[in-house]
Amino acid sequence: DTGVSQDPRHKITKRGQNVTFRCDPISEHNRLYWYRQTLGQGPEFLTYFQNEAQLEKSRLLSDRFSAERPKGSFSTLEIQRTEQGDSAMYLCASSQGGRIQETQYFGPGTRLLVL
Amino acid sequence: DQQVKQNSPSLSVQEGRISILNCDYTNSMFDYFLWYKKYPAEGPTFLISISSIKDKNEDGRFTVFLNKSAKHLSLHIVPSQPGDSAVYFCAASAEYSGGGADGLTFGKGTHLIIQP
């Protein structure tokens, strides 16, 4: 299977702890996106990478959130000092960038619950 | 302010009939539209897309129609099957995002229920 994969699929943590999620994109895709989805809402854009460069950040991405894509392959999303409001599904997507009107393909998501 | 709106939270259709899911948008810069299907506890799965230079795109049982003047698009599923029961998200993107996010803008989704 060469789809987008995410790890872990579920994470339960206590408020104030740090968490890190990993995303492995489709191998030939150079763009990688992070989204957050809460109950009853559609996915909301957080940030994206073109290769290893982080090119855009949403205003939703507070300074407690940091994302990296060190070698232009997999990416990590870290949330420091988690808050209950961080509880959500965190989705990763990848695409073959450089083309207009590209299609993003999503992974299964990491569901975070902050107690 | 929601730029992509799906005003029907849920839709119930009989198996074999046509399902029509609607989506409206407000940002005239959007030029590419996509439909995703999502099952519980899974990520969205890409279904079909349409460029703003077209008014219709068809792929098997799925057809998307775009009415740019009305800023409206719809997804038709014919015939509807039990496996089509899922949440459907409309999403849009702009080639030139004016310095904003390059991500997709999603609606809140419509829960489609196919009844036997």
Side-chain angles (χ1 to χ4, degrees):
Chain A
D1 182 33
T2 57
V4 178
S5 61
Q6 293 187 245
D7 184 70
R9 294 291 306 274
H10 304 275
K11 179 71 178 179
I12 300 174
T13 191
K14 292 183 179 178
R15 190 174 51 185
Q17 298 293 305
N18 298 345
V19 294
T20 300
F21 309 140
R22 175 179 171 127
C23 170
D24 287 87
I26 294 170
S27 58
E28 63 269 25
H29 285 182
N30 58 357
R31 283 193 173 183
L32 187 149
Y33 300 79
W34 285 99
Y35 290 82
R36 180 177 71 185
Q37 184 178 19
T38 53
L39 199 61
Q41 303 294 319
E44 295 173 293
F45 170 78
L46 292 178
T47 187
Y48 97 93
F49 293 83
Q50 172 117 354
N51 299 311
E52 66 275 9
Q54 188 172 14
L55 296 185
E56 285 289 346
K57 293 183 190 180
S58 161
R59 57 181 170 78
L60 293 176
L61 207 70
S62 78
D63 56 6
R64 295 184 298 105
F65 288 68
S66 62
E68 293 183 344
R69 195 182 182 198
K71 297 181 180 179
S73 56
F74 73 91
S75 175
T76 58
L77 177 68
E78 181 183 16
I79 309 174
Q80 295 182 326
R81 306 180 303 280
T82 52
E83 301 173 356
Q84 288 183 325
D86 297 330
S87 296
M89 172 80 88
Y90 289 84
L91 294 161
C92 175
S94 70
S95 69
Q96 183 59 52
R99 297 183 307 184
I100 295 170
Q101 300 172 345
E102 66 205 46
T103 296
Q104 296 179 25
Y105 295 90
F106 284 81
T110 295
R111 183 167 294 281
L112 172 67
L113 178 60
V114 181
L115 301 176
Chain B
D1 178 35
Q2 267 212 300
Q3 298 186 67
V4 177
K5 299 178 183 178
Q6 293 177 258
N7 292 320
S8 298
S10 66
L11 175 67
S12 184
V13 174
Q14 267 198 313
E15 182 179 356
R17 301 273 190 154
I18 183 171
S19 295
I20 300 176
L21 296 100
N22 293 303
C23 177
D24 297 291
Y25 62 96
T26 57
N27 188 343
S28 57
M29 298 297 290
F30 287 146
D31 59 2
Y32 188 52
F33 304 89
L34 308 92
W35 285 94
Y36 287 86
K37 173 181 178 180
K38 188 177 183 301
Y39 293 118
E42 294 185 12
T45 301
F46 170 71
L47 272 178
I48 192 168
S49 62
I50 188 166
S51 162
S52 59
I53 62 173
K54 295 185 176 181
D55 55 18
K56 177 182 173 181
N57 189 26
E58 192 171 353
D59 184 2
R61 296 186 299 115
F62 302 93
T63 303
V64 55
F65 295 93
L66 175 63
N67 182 335
K68 282 201 305 182
S69 61
K71 293 192 177 66
H72 177 84
L73 63 155
S74 61
L75 174 69
H76 292 211
I77 306 173
V78 183
S80 300
Q81 299 174 354
D84 296 330
S85 294
V87 178
Y88 289 78
F89 289 98
C90 171
S93 70
E95 176 184 347
Y96 300 106
S97 57
D102 262 358
L104 296 171
T105 302
F106 283 83
K108 291 188 177 183
T110 295
H111 185 193
L112 176 64
I113 301 162
I114 305 301
Q115 296 185 335

